[in-house]
Amino acid sequence: MPARPPSLLPEQLSLVGNSDAQLRERFQLLTAARVMVCTVIFGGTVAVYLAEGHSLDDATPKLLLSVIIAIYAVSLVYALQIRVAPRARLLRLTATSIALDLAAWTVLAYATGGAGSPLSTFFGLSTLTAALVLGGNGTLWTAVSSLSAYGLLALSGALGLVQPPSDQLHIPHNPIETTYQMVVTLTAIVSITAIGGALADRLVVTGDALLRVEASRVSLIALYEDVLRSIPAALVTYTAEGLVDGANPFAALFLDLEPVEMLGRPAHEVLPFIPRVALDGDAGSSSGDARLKTSYREIPVAYHVAPLYSHDGSRRGGIVVVEDRSHEEGLRHAVETSERFAQLGHLAAGLAHEIRNPLGAISGCVELVRETATLDSEERSLLATVSRDVARLNDLVTDMLQFAKPRMPDRSPVDLSALTRDVVALARSSGGPEARVLIKLRAEQPVVATVDAAQYKQVLWNLLRNAAQASRVGTEVEIVVSATEHEAALRVLDRGPGIEPELRARIFDAFYSGTARGTGLGLAIVKRIADAHHGRVEIAEREGGGSIFSWVVPRDVITAQVAGPSEPTGELPVGPPSSAPSS
């Protein structure tokens, strides 16, 4: 690493308050000023010599011309270095430039009268240059160097060690004028040193303060941008003309729009769910609830519209904050559901005692009457109808009790494929709607998951009953049991009329049924059991018509590698009536 000139560039010369851009700008201005001064000197010298009838071949014009050409050449080199030089090198260039300037002013003063030359005041310019670029210590070192160079020039002339140029030997020497010029020069150097030092200190303090303010401003802007980027709400600003001029990233994601699609568009087009009167410039602040519809979802939102003011207090537009209320909506729905369940629990407990006992008595009486040999066929048919209705009422009471008083699942690793085969075998001999459809089973071997075996059977039975009630007699209902690494799935596919998309949100509500024969509790029980297992229930449209109900739960166990799908077990024949599985 090259050594620094100890007389002009100690460590303290680096200005804290000067940025690289400021140093370059000042150095460029000083270089331009140096070239301008040299041009004026050269032009004035030529004009004076020609006006007085002297020749440019004399010693003085030649010396001046040589110095000025050298200054031009050095200034050109400096100009080329300014753009690419790093800060440390820029400071060294400044110190070198000042040293060369002092040498140039010394030669110019020698060529124009020695210590009494009017150009000797240029020594003060070097001191001012140091004050502007190098700072207080640089100003002091430059002042000492200027006084030393000027004193050496004056002493050499006084002792006769240096003779003036040959064309100036005939000029008489005036000691009074020389002394006066020396006093002026020394006074100028000292004054400029004092003023320049104070100016340098002020520049350091001011520049450092400006840098801190700028850094704080940049940091504050970055903080504001980070805050706006991180707020989990959509922020949109618009101008007084109603055109969107800003949006945070969450707004683009939330509104399902690219940022370039929002900017410049009317606010009521970007935010169509907000009344236009709320976005009006004279409307003031307003809030409300709405439904946000995008290309793939519809969610509840809360919006807040407020005027947006500039720093001078004038209104420049408005700001809109849109919040997702899905979580709150879900909590409200959960509370309402819990309240309905609590009411249903009280109702079910009363119905169990008030209905089940009379139903048992009615069923027993009907069976006794049916054993009478004197009944004709019409009377027996009526009694069979009564038995079926009693069984249906009993199923309703059972479903209400299961739904209103659910128990926590007793989970253990079980083979879902084996459980499914048991339920399907029982369904073929039942007397319900399950016996009127053709059932196909496709199950991987084995599918092990940690579930409540009895509740799984209840889920399968309810989904199978739901599919059978929605299907025509003799149509096919397919049951698929499969698994991935982390989840197990039961899917029941029917060929019924399907479920309209707008009804899918209600299909799991209690007492909502799509058929006249349903109780409206089967799918609600399925959903509740899935939630208790931290799973989910999904509804999809089946290709070719019908619906697909999927009950998906975590496996929660590490099982052996699952074998590939087995061959379909075929259509199960419809067997004699039997009882439904117990839950």
Side-chain angles (χ1 to χ4, degrees), residues 67-310:
V67 173
I68 292 173
I69 290 176
I71 292 177
Y72 280 159
V74 172
S75 299
L76 178 61
V77 174
Y78 288 163
L80 295 177
Q81 293 290 325
I82 290 174
R83 295 181 179 273
V84 297
R87 180 183 180 88
R89 187 176 180 185
L90 199 60
L91 292 173
R92 288 197 295 271
L93 284 174
T94 303
T96 304
S97 172
I98 292 175
L100 294 177
D101 284 347
L102 291 177
W105 306 146
T106 303
V107 175
L108 290 177
Y110 162 75
T112 56
S117 170
L119 297 185
S120 59
T121 55
F122 282 177
F123 286 103
L125 293 179
S126 296
T127 305
L128 185 60
T129 299
L132 292 174
V133 180
L134 298 180
N137 290 334
T139 305
L140 181 60
W141 281 91
T142 304
V144 171
S145 300
S146 299
L147 291 173
S148 300
Y150 183 70
L152 182 61
L153 175 65
L155 183 61
S156 299
L159 298 177
L161 299 178
V162 177
Q163 296 297 323
S166 58
D167 56 342
Q168 297 183 30
L169 294 175
H170 64 283
I171 299 176
H173 178 67
N174 189 336
I176 298 178
E177 291 183 1
T178 301
T179 302
Y180 172 77
Q181 187 60 45
M182 291 177 62
V183 172
V184 170
T185 300
L186 294 174
T187 303
I189 294 176
V190 173
S191 300
I192 292 176
T193 301
I195 297 174
L199 178 62
D201 293 338
R202 181 65 59 86
L203 284 176
V204 170
V205 174
T206 304
D208 189 44
L210 287 175
L211 288 178
R212 287 198 302 269
V213 170
E214 178 65 17
S216 177
R217 185 184 69 85
V218 172
S219 177
L220 191 60
I221 292 175
L223 175 62
Y224 286 161
E225 292 178 350
D226 292 341
V227 170
L228 293 177
R229 188 182 300 110
S230 304
I231 290 178
L235 273 72
V236 178
T237 61
Y238 57 92
T239 64
E241 293 76 21
L243 302 179
V244 174
D245 62 351
N248 67 340
F250 191 83
L253 179 64
F254 193 58
L255 301 175
D256 193 22
L257 291 172
E258 295 293 333
V260 294
E261 296 180 294
M262 291 188 286
L263 299 180
R265 289 179 57 186
H268 64 84
E269 293 183 4
V270 177
L271 307 165
F273 53 91
I274 299 180
R276 294 189 63 170
V277 65
L279 300 172
D280 188 1
D282 300 326
S285 300
S286 62
S287 302
D289 298 321
R291 306 289 297 185
L292 172 61
K293 295 181 179 180
T294 64
S295 59
Y296 60 96
R297 62 176 178 171
E298 179 178 349
I299 56 176
V301 297
Y303 65 85
H304 310 274
V305 183
L308 184 63
Y309 298 98
S310 60

Side-chain angles (χ1 to χ4, degrees), residues 248-399:
N248 67 340
F250 191 83
L253 179 64
F254 193 58
L255 301 175
D256 193 22
L257 291 172
E258 295 293 333
V260 294
E261 296 180 294
M262 291 188 286
L263 299 180
R265 289 179 57 186
H268 64 84
E269 293 183 4
V270 177
L271 307 165
F273 53 91
I274 299 180
R276 294 189 63 170
V277 65
L279 300 172
D280 188 1
D282 300 326
S285 300
S286 62
S287 302
D289 298 321
R291 306 289 297 185
L292 172 61
K293 295 181 179 180
T294 64
S295 59
Y296 60 96
R297 62 176 178 171
E298 179 178 349
I299 56 176
V301 297
Y303 65 85
H304 310 274
V305 183
L308 184 63
Y309 298 98
S310 60
H311 65 280
D312 58 359
S314 61
R315 182 168 180 169
R316 64 174 299 273
I319 181 171
V320 180
V321 181
V322 184
E323 299 178 85
D324 186 354
R325 308 295 291 180
S326 299
H327 180 66
E328 290 77 4
E329 186 81 4
L331 292 178
R332 184 182 63 80
H333 179 72
V335 171
E336 293 177 352
T337 302
S338 298
E339 292 177 351
R340 290 199 302 269
F341 290 164
Q343 295 172 359
L344 182 59
H346 293 294
L347 177 62
L351 285 175
H353 294 287
E354 299 297 332
I355 297 179
R356 178 160 283 179
N357 290 336
L359 285 178
I362 294 172
S363 179
C365 293
V366 169
E367 292 299 324
L368 289 175
V369 174
R370 290 179 65 181
E371 293 177 358
T372 304
T374 59
L375 296 177
D376 57 22
S377 60
E378 183 177 354
E379 291 172 336
R380 292 183 182 278
S381 177
L382 290 174
L383 291 175
T385 301
V386 173
S387 296
R388 286 194 301 271
D389 288 341
V390 168
R392 181 173 178 275
L393 289 174
N394 186 65
D395 289 341
L396 174 60
V397 172
T398 301
D399 285 346

